[in-house]
Amino acid sequence: MNIQTEFGITEALKNLGVAAKNNGTSTGLQSHGGDNFLESYSPVDGALIGKVSVTTQAQYDKVIETAQAAFKDWRDAPAPLRGEIVRQFGQKLREHKADLGKLVSYEMGKSYQEGLGEVQEMIDICDFAVGLSRQLHGLTIKSERPLHHMQEQYHPLGIVGIISAFNFPVAVWAWNTALAWVCGDVCVWKPSEKTPLTGVACQNIIAEVLKENDLPEGISCLINGDYNVGSWMTKDERVPLISATGSTRMGKIVGQTVAARLGKSILELGGNNAIIVTPDADIKMTVIGAVFGAVGTAGQRCTSTRRLIVHEDIYDKVRDAVVGAYGQLRIGNPLDEKNHVGPVIDKDSVNNYNKAIEAAKAEGGKVLVEGGVLSGEGFESGCYVKPCIIEAENSFKIVQSETFAPILYILKYKGDVHDGIAVQNGVAQGLSSAIMTNSMRDAHQFLSAVGSDCGIANVNIGTSGAEIGGAFGGEKETGGGRESGSDAWKAYMRRQTNTLNYSTELPLAQGIKFDL
Ligand code: UN1
């Protein structure tokens, strides 16, 4: 029996409408029918899962025109009604949770549990957005002029272009769309070319909801292809907001291109996340947080733990405990729930992993848990690598850069918590950070203005696994954008200040006299 049959992938593909001929001709706005195809190979077993047609420029233009037309209807719908559509979408996701979770796991390689978690994250953001659809509020402000009233309103922007990465192939799209839709925007999505089928599956689910409600399909559009297709969107003045997730290298290009036309962007880019372990930390909690953070999603989360910064007083104990825990890890087919770690996305990723280990060694790093590429039965795809741990220095060039693979650098710090914080902040990226401590003072120092410089700072929790209720994103080379919870919705709308005069005079602000 092959993996597809054994773990119900064949069935899941069928249920999600992406079985057999995935040439993108089946539904709505993915009907591009270009001659080029993206081929999706599973890193789990190396099998070709399906093909999706690449969008041509002419088809792209048609998609944008359809989206523009849909926006005219959608922005007029009351926001709670838009919320109702998102509620129905969330409901369908509940029904498809197992199938979509499996497809995410099979196409991307994360464990089935994490695949389910990702779909749950979509459901959670839908619930959040439904409530938000009745709360898109602005301030009222007292005017300096008599019988005048001031208020802020938030209006939809238009088309939101979403560029997402392979590592969270569906959740990050949902963070953007669920908010954008209740805000009255329409969305055009370019998923990663490494995970096009999860994109088609999501598009099928939302297309069904739109059809059932007699709404224009242009509210949710899908385009496919490599960075060229993405660049049509980043340069396109018809797309007022681009939300892009991926590498800092990509984000710099996207950010500059969008800024050159004075468009808006939300950038969620690279991380180099660390956990500081203070002398009084709980070692058991530290081990769970660090190991899940470093090996979860095979080290391919933006929030993955890359550096463990341990105080010298507790260093040997923490090092031994974490190294011991790595001995328990089972690597293999991520659909098989007894495995903790699945494959990385592709052979390029394997090369980057190998190169990073070599670079760390060349800079003087000491390998504590040996890495390596697995081969033999079950590892035929060539994408399974061993999570490894390297004792290193923060100043190493390789430690300063983000490698999307399960490599954990362990670093020692001396002195007080601010010495640990200096190491943690001493990188170009600023997404997620954590401290393991039982000291109330150290915890608060870490969270203070002179503490972590990241967008996410956790106490006694690892660096990954943020909930959708908070704003998600980071500082410095992480790009500064915020998605998901809190007031991140404001980035998907344009703010308008209204001043309304209900007197019979026309007094000027700042007391200026202008008599005629
Ligand atoms: C990402 O890796 O781009 O906080 C998103 C987390 C997940 C989202 C990660 N909730 O790890």
Side-chain angles (χ1 to χ4, degrees), residues 121 167-168 172 175 245 268 300-304 404 431 456 463-467 472:
E121 200 158 339
N167 65 331
F168 270 78
V172 173
W175 292 352
T245 307
E268 196 250 287
Q300 299 169 105
R301 291 191 187 212
C302 299
T303 52
S304 290
F404 241 41
L431 179 56
I456 296 167
T463 57
S464 66
E467 301 177 18
F472 184 93

Coordinates of all heavy atoms in Angstrom, one line a residue, residues 121 167-168 172 175 245 268 300-304 404 431 456 463-467 472, ligand 1:
E121 N -6.0 27.1 13.3 CA -5.7 28.5 13.4 C -6.5 29.3 12.4 O -6.9 30.4 12.6 CB -4.2 28.6 13.0 CG -3.6 29.9 13.5 CD -2.0 29.8 13.6 OE1 -1.5 28.7 13.8 OE2 -1.4 30.9 13.6
N167 N 5.6 27.4 4.4 CA 5.7 26.7 5.7 C 4.3 26.8 6.5 O 4.0 25.9 7.3 CB 6.8 27.4 6.6 CG 6.5 28.8 6.9 OD1 5.9 29.5 6.1 ND2 7.0 29.3 8.0
F168 N 3.6 27.8 6.3 CA 2.2 27.9 6.8 C 1.3 28.2 5.5 O 0.8 29.2 5.3 CB 2.0 29.0 7.8 CG 2.3 28.4 9.2 CD1 3.6 28.2 9.7 CD2 1.2 28.0 10.0 CE1 3.8 27.6 10.9 CE2 1.5 27.5 11.3 CZ 2.8 27.3 11.7
V172 N -1.7 31.4 7.1 CA -1.3 32.9 7.0 C -2.2 33.5 5.9 O -2.6 34.7 6.1 CB 0.2 33.0 6.6 CG1 0.5 34.4 6.3 CG2 1.0 32.5 7.8
W175 N -5.3 34.3 7.9 CA -5.2 35.5 8.8 C -5.5 36.7 8.0 O -6.1 37.7 8.5 CB -3.7 35.7 9.2 CG -3.1 34.7 10.2 CD1 -3.8 33.7 10.8 CD2 -1.8 34.7 10.6 NE1 -2.9 33.0 11.6 CE2 -1.6 33.6 11.4 CE3 -0.6 35.4 10.2 CZ2 -0.4 33.3 12.0 CZ3 0.6 35.1 10.8 CH2 0.7 34.0 11.7
T245 N 4.5 37.3 3.2 CA 5.2 36.5 4.2 C 6.3 35.7 3.5 O 6.1 35.1 2.4 CB 4.3 35.5 4.8 OG1 3.1 36.2 5.3 CG2 4.9 34.8 6.0
E268 N 5.9 40.2 6.8 CA 6.2 39.3 7.9 C 7.3 38.4 7.4 O 7.1 37.5 6.6 CB 5.0 38.4 8.3 CG 5.1 37.7 9.6 CD 5.2 36.2 9.5 OE1 4.2 35.6 9.1 OE2 6.3 35.7 9.7
Q300 N 11.0 24.9 10.4 CA 10.7 25.8 9.3 C 9.5 26.8 9.6 O 8.8 27.2 8.7 CB 10.2 24.9 8.0 CG 11.4 24.0 7.6 CD 10.9 23.0 6.5 OE1 11.1 23.1 5.4 NE2 10.1 22.1 7.0
R301 N 9.4 27.1 10.9 CA 8.4 28.2 11.2 C 9.2 29.5 11.2 O 10.4 29.5 11.6 CB 7.8 28.0 12.6 CG 6.9 26.8 12.7 CD 6.1 26.9 14.0 NE 5.3 25.7 14.2 CZ 4.2 25.6 14.8 NH1 3.7 26.7 15.4 NH2 3.5 24.5 14.9
C302 N 8.6 30.6 10.9 CA 9.2 31.9 11.1 C 9.6 32.0 12.6 O 10.5 32.7 13.0 CB 8.3 33.0 10.8 SG 7.8 32.9 9.1
T303 N 8.8 31.4 13.5 CA 8.9 31.5 14.9 C 9.8 30.4 15.5 O 9.9 30.3 16.7 CB 7.6 31.4 15.6 OG1 6.9 30.2 15.1 CG2 6.7 32.6 15.3
S304 N 10.4 29.5 14.7 CA 11.2 28.4 15.2 C 12.3 28.9 16.1 O 12.9 30.0 15.9 CB 11.8 27.6 14.1 OG 10.9 26.9 13.3
F404 N 16.2 27.8 7.4 CA 14.9 27.2 7.6 C 15.1 25.7 7.7 O 14.8 24.9 6.8 CB 14.0 27.6 6.4 CG 12.8 28.3 6.9 CD1 12.9 29.3 7.8 CD2 11.6 28.1 6.3 CE1 11.7 30.0 8.2 CE2 10.4 28.8 6.6 CZ 10.5 29.7 7.6
L431 N 11.6 38.8 15.3 CA 10.2 38.3 15.3 C 9.8 37.8 16.7 O 9.1 38.5 17.4 CB 10.1 37.2 14.3 CG 8.7 36.5 14.2 CD1 7.6 37.5 14.0 CD2 8.6 35.4 13.2
I456 N 7.3 39.7 19.3 CA 6.7 38.7 20.2 C 7.7 38.4 21.4 O 8.8 38.1 21.1 CB 6.3 37.4 19.5 CG1 5.2 37.7 18.4 CG2 5.8 36.3 20.4 CD1 5.0 36.6 17.4
T463 N 9.2 30.0 21.6 CA 9.1 31.1 20.7 C 8.0 30.9 19.7 O 7.6 31.9 19.0 CB 10.4 31.3 19.9 OG1 10.8 30.1 19.3 CG2 11.5 31.8 20.9
S464 N 7.6 29.6 19.4 CA 6.6 29.4 18.4 C 5.2 29.2 19.0 O 5.1 29.1 20.2 CB 7.0 28.2 17.5 OG 7.0 27.0 18.3
G465 N 4.2 29.1 18.1 CA 2.9 28.8 18.6 C 2.1 29.9 19.1 O 1.4 29.8 20.1
A466 N 2.2 31.1 18.5 CA 1.4 32.2 18.9 C -0.1 32.0 18.7 O -0.4 31.3 17.7 CB 1.9 33.5 18.1
E467 N -0.9 32.6 19.5 CA -2.3 32.5 19.4 C -2.8 33.6 18.4 O -2.1 34.6 18.3 CB -3.1 32.7 20.7 CG -2.7 31.6 21.7 CD -3.3 31.9 23.1 OE1 -4.3 32.6 23.1 OE2 -2.8 31.3 24.1
F472 N 0.5 39.6 15.2 CA 1.6 38.8 14.9 C 2.5 39.5 13.9 O 2.1 39.9 12.9 CB 1.1 37.4 14.3 CG 2.2 36.5 14.0 CD1 2.5 35.5 14.9 CD2 2.9 36.5 12.8 CE1 3.6 34.6 14.7 CE2 4.0 35.6 12.6 CZ 4.3 34.7 13.5
Ligands
UN1_1 C1 4.9 31.5 10.4 O1 5.8 30.7 10.7 O2 5.0 32.2 9.4 O3 3.3 31.3 16.0 C2 3.7 31.6 11.2 C3 3.4 30.3 15.3 C4 2.2 30.0 14.4 C5 2.4 30.9 13.1 C6 3.7 30.8 12.5 N1 1.0 30.3 15.0 O4 4.3 29.5 15.3

